[in-house]
Amino acid sequence: MRFFDPHIHVTSRTTDDLERMAAAGVRAIIEPAFWVGQPRTTAGSFVDYFASLLGWERFRAAQFGIAHYCAIGLNSKEANNESLAREVLELLPRFALKEGVVAIGEIGFDEITAAEERAYVAQVQLAREHDMVVMVHSPHRDKKRGIRRSLDIARELGFPMEKLVIDHNNEETVAGTLEAGAWAAFTIYPHTKMGSERMLEIVKKYGPERVIVDSSADWGVSDPLAVPRTAKLMLERGIAPEVVERVTWQNALEAYGQSGQIDAEALLCKPAIDQRQLFADNSVLRGQEPRVEGGVPN
Ligand SMILES: [Zn+2]
């Protein structure tokens, strides 16, 4: 099977992870801009970060046969540093309209503050102006209220629900997200919160329509193989293969394919890998023999 992990922060992961993901069938990923673990102090840090998502990280994933797309946005945590937030919001259009950007994201609420709301409104408006998809991060605390607010604001701004992906849903929020007409994404965390078992029950109860599974793997305790692992469990527990395919491949492709940035045909081919390539004179290899392969349909 092939998988699409539409939320993973691979800049925090190693080449071992990329190799294991490709071997497990992960063909395509989306890396949304997010919080890097400590607050950035200047807009220049965001400039370099966004540039790395569009450049080096895209190259690095491709070196292991994984198509890399990204989402550009100001995360909710750092929206609370309002003077910096204003600068970052101003520079977003420079990056958000580039090739390989499939959404504005991840944006939304963390502590559900007025500053977070201002940044969210500005970015949903930017997405609407440019007919883009929005990837919404939902808060870990007070999740239900955060999601409700994200949906209400998008609706008030006239943003189309079919272009809104609400992420990090759980059993308490899934019905509201789906009823609103948005896509409901779920992050599978190892040992906690949303595990594969709970995801299986959600798919049984709500079906696969507009339901998306992702890993959100980052610098914290997380699992870059969460999508293939969850698919395996679903198949073992008797979920129909076409249902598993929808929630681990097709739905993400449809939701983010609305950007016009994803070549779905090309993703059906075994990816071409050419590790002789360089990015700004930089290679992922350290003296190893370069792999050169692929590019044929399978
Ligand atoms: Zn994330």
Side-chain angles (χ1 to χ4, degrees), residues 7 9 32 34 106 137 168 216 218:
H7 189 148
H9 302 285
F34 84 140
E106 52 185 298
H137 164 91
H168 318 316
S216 297
D218 57 21

PDB file of all heavy atoms in Angstrom, residues 7 9 32 34 106 137 168 216 218, ligand 1:
ATOM      1  N   HIS A   7       0.694  15.493   7.644  1.00  0.00           N
ATOM      2  CA  HIS A   7       1.122  16.384   8.735  1.00  0.00           C
ATOM      3  C   HIS A   7       2.303  15.726   9.434  1.00  0.00           C
ATOM      4  O   HIS A   7       2.139  14.834  10.253  1.00  0.00           O
ATOM      5  CB  HIS A   7      -0.042  16.600   9.722  1.00  0.00           C
ATOM      6  CG  HIS A   7       0.250  17.656  10.749  1.00  0.00           C
ATOM      7  ND1 HIS A   7      -0.729  18.463  11.272  1.00  0.00           N
ATOM      8  CD2 HIS A   7       1.399  18.041  11.364  1.00  0.00           C
ATOM      9  CE1 HIS A   7      -0.202  19.297  12.160  1.00  0.00           C
ATOM     10  NE2 HIS A   7       1.098  19.043  12.236  1.00  0.00           N
ATOM     11  N   HIS A   9       6.539  16.840  10.739  1.00  0.00           N
ATOM     12  CA  HIS A   9       7.590  17.862  10.783  1.00  0.00           C
ATOM     13  C   HIS A   9       8.934  17.176  10.577  1.00  0.00           C
ATOM     14  O   HIS A   9       9.692  16.958  11.512  1.00  0.00           O
ATOM     15  CB  HIS A   9       7.518  18.613  12.111  1.00  0.00           C
ATOM     16  CG  HIS A   9       6.181  19.241  12.319  1.00  0.00           C
ATOM     17  ND1 HIS A   9       5.796  20.381  11.638  1.00  0.00           N
ATOM     18  CD2 HIS A   9       5.107  18.882  13.065  1.00  0.00           C
ATOM     19  CE1 HIS A   9       4.552  20.693  11.980  1.00  0.00           C
ATOM     20  NE2 HIS A   9       4.114  19.802  12.841  1.00  0.00           N
ATOM     21  N   PRO A  32       3.845  21.099   7.677  1.00  0.00           N
ATOM     22  CA  PRO A  32       3.370  22.447   7.984  1.00  0.00           C
ATOM     23  C   PRO A  32       4.372  23.204   8.849  1.00  0.00           C
ATOM     24  O   PRO A  32       5.050  22.621   9.691  1.00  0.00           O
ATOM     25  CB  PRO A  32       2.070  22.206   8.753  1.00  0.00           C
ATOM     26  CG  PRO A  32       2.175  20.838   9.310  1.00  0.00           C
ATOM     27  CD  PRO A  32       3.204  20.075   8.517  1.00  0.00           C
ATOM     28  N   PHE A  34       5.567  25.243  11.876  1.00  0.00           N
ATOM     29  CA  PHE A  34       5.066  25.191  13.256  1.00  0.00           C
ATOM     30  C   PHE A  34       6.042  25.796  14.233  1.00  0.00           C
ATOM     31  O   PHE A  34       7.026  26.447  13.882  1.00  0.00           O
ATOM     32  CB  PHE A  34       4.653  23.759  13.626  1.00  0.00           C
ATOM     33  CG  PHE A  34       5.741  22.819  14.107  1.00  0.00           C
ATOM     34  CD1 PHE A  34       5.499  21.935  15.160  1.00  0.00           C
ATOM     35  CD2 PHE A  34       6.993  22.796  13.511  1.00  0.00           C
ATOM     36  CE1 PHE A  34       6.481  21.061  15.605  1.00  0.00           C
ATOM     37  CE2 PHE A  34       7.973  21.920  13.957  1.00  0.00           C
ATOM     38  CZ  PHE A  34       7.717  21.061  15.007  1.00  0.00           C
ATOM     39  N   GLU A 106       0.498  25.338   9.936  1.00  0.00           N
ATOM     40  CA  GLU A 106      -0.687  25.091  10.689  1.00  0.00           C
ATOM     41  C   GLU A 106      -0.979  26.308  11.535  1.00  0.00           C
ATOM     42  O   GLU A 106      -0.085  26.848  12.192  1.00  0.00           O
ATOM     43  CB  GLU A 106      -0.553  23.823  11.551  1.00  0.00           C
ATOM     44  CG  GLU A 106       0.701  23.797  12.417  1.00  0.00           C
ATOM     45  CD  GLU A 106       0.860  22.465  13.156  1.00  0.00           C
ATOM     46  OE1 GLU A 106      -0.005  22.113  13.975  1.00  0.00           O
ATOM     47  OE2 GLU A 106       1.862  21.783  12.895  1.00  0.00           O
ATOM     48  N   HIS A 137      -4.524  23.833  13.327  1.00  0.00           N
ATOM     49  CA  HIS A 137      -4.057  23.159  14.539  1.00  0.00           C
ATOM     50  C   HIS A 137      -5.115  23.384  15.618  1.00  0.00           C
ATOM     51  O   HIS A 137      -5.591  24.498  15.783  1.00  0.00           O
ATOM     52  CB  HIS A 137      -2.724  23.787  14.961  1.00  0.00           C
ATOM     53  CG  HIS A 137      -2.317  23.485  16.363  1.00  0.00           C
ATOM     54  ND1 HIS A 137      -1.538  22.411  16.695  1.00  0.00           N
ATOM     55  CD2 HIS A 137      -2.607  24.122  17.530  1.00  0.00           C
ATOM     56  CE1 HIS A 137      -1.350  22.395  18.001  1.00  0.00           C
ATOM     57  NE2 HIS A 137      -1.984  23.423  18.537  1.00  0.00           N
ATOM     58  N   HIS A 168      -5.829  17.293  14.594  1.00  0.00           N
ATOM     59  CA  HIS A 168      -5.772  16.846  15.999  1.00  0.00           C
ATOM     60  C   HIS A 168      -7.173  16.690  16.589  1.00  0.00           C
ATOM     61  O   HIS A 168      -7.418  17.053  17.748  1.00  0.00           O
ATOM     62  CB  HIS A 168      -4.956  17.813  16.878  1.00  0.00           C
ATOM     63  CG  HIS A 168      -3.686  18.338  16.267  1.00  0.00           C
ATOM     64  ND1 HIS A 168      -2.795  17.543  15.575  1.00  0.00           N
ATOM     65  CD2 HIS A 168      -3.152  19.580  16.257  1.00  0.00           C
ATOM     66  CE1 HIS A 168      -1.770  18.289  15.168  1.00  0.00           C
ATOM     67  NE2 HIS A 168      -1.972  19.518  15.568  1.00  0.00           N
ATOM     68  N   SER A 216       1.813  13.814  12.669  1.00  0.00           N
ATOM     69  CA  SER A 216       2.349  15.027  13.319  1.00  0.00           C
ATOM     70  C   SER A 216       3.691  14.768  13.995  1.00  0.00           C
ATOM     71  O   SER A 216       4.034  15.429  14.977  1.00  0.00           O
ATOM     72  CB  SER A 216       1.375  15.612  14.349  1.00  0.00           C
ATOM     73  OG  SER A 216       0.198  16.024  13.736  1.00  0.00           O
ATOM     74  N   ASP A 218       7.333  14.985  15.164  1.00  0.00           N
ATOM     75  CA  ASP A 218       8.168  16.178  15.273  1.00  0.00           C
ATOM     76  C   ASP A 218       9.350  15.894  16.190  1.00  0.00           C
ATOM     77  O   ASP A 218       9.825  14.773  16.272  1.00  0.00           O
ATOM     78  CB  ASP A 218       7.324  17.366  15.750  1.00  0.00           C
ATOM     79  CG  ASP A 218       6.623  17.093  17.090  1.00  0.00           C
ATOM     80  OD1 ASP A 218       7.072  16.203  17.844  1.00  0.00           O
ATOM     81  OD2 ASP A 218       5.643  17.784  17.399  1.00  0.00           O
TER      82      ASP A 218
HETATM   83 ZN    ZN B   1       2.194  19.993  13.690  1.00  0.00          ZN
END
